[in-house]
Amino acid sequence: LLPEATRVLRAALAQAPQLTDAYFNLGGSLWREGSFEAAAHAYAQAISLEPTKIEAYYALGLSLGGQGLNREAEGFFKATVRMAGGHADAYFNLAVSTAMQGGFARARRYFLTTLNLRPDRADAEQYAAVCARLEREEAEKRRP
């Protein structure tokens, strides 16, 4: 089903390359197939056509994170929260990408922001506690 959706969306874009939503949906189809690099390209195209499409920034961050490009992903999650401050999932994934780079104190704050926005995200509270522990361990390593 997904390869067929991808094929149909590519055909639609060949006929009408200005369809922002088609690029966005193509990105989603490619992402679900595990083609993160191609998905990132599709989401970037959606953003170039509609720079205010908040969900495309978020999805591009996910696609970059799927490739292990955490610093780049962090930038798109930050853009998402700048554009839509209450985007709990963007804060959560911003926390993940930040933690993957060793920024445990900032990641902990982002996880706590996620929890503030979505109290039902118990995983955010658990990850915040893990980041606090890792932050303490890093501080202990730096002590003489």
Side-chain angles (χ1 to χ4, degrees):
L1 183 61
L2 285 175
E4 180 63 17
T6 299
R7 188 186 66 71
V8 168
L9 289 163
R10 286 182 197 258
L13 286 165
Q15 296 297 312
Q18 75 286 1
L19 295 175
T20 304
D21 287 339
Y23 277 110
F24 183 77
N25 292 330
L26 175 61
S29 180
L30 291 164
W31 190 86
R32 285 185 291 281
E33 290 176 11
S35 300
F36 300 124
E37 187 174 349
H41 179 72
Y43 290 130
Q45 285 295 109
I47 291 169
S48 73
L49 292 169
E50 189 179 327
T52 59
K53 191 165 185 67
I54 295 167
E55 288 302 316
Y57 288 84
Y58 174 68
L60 181 49
L62 291 175
S63 296
L64 293 167
Q67 297 174 69
L69 302 172
N70 292 303
R71 178 166 288 138
E72 293 83 351
E74 180 181 7
F76 284 95
F77 295 134
K78 283 182 176 179
T80 304
V81 299
R82 273 195 306 274
M83 296 169 77
H87 199 300
D89 291 333
Y91 271 109
F92 184 89
N93 285 289
L94 175 56
V96 170
S97 63
T98 302
M100 294 296 287
Q101 298 172 71
F104 301 121
R106 284 182 301 126
R108 182 175 49 80
R109 288 191 298 274
Y110 295 142
F111 281 126
L112 292 174
T113 300
T114 302
L115 190 59
N116 185 50
L117 294 168
R118 292 254 325 266
D120 61 316
R121 291 287 312 250
D123 57 341
E125 186 173 18
Q126 293 165 349
Y127 286 127
V130 169
C131 285
R133 181 180 50 81
L134 292 171
E135 185 181 358
R136 284 190 304 275
E137 289 174 6
E138 287 293 317
E140 288 173 16
K141 286 180 189 176
R142 289 189 298 268
R143 288 190 190 142

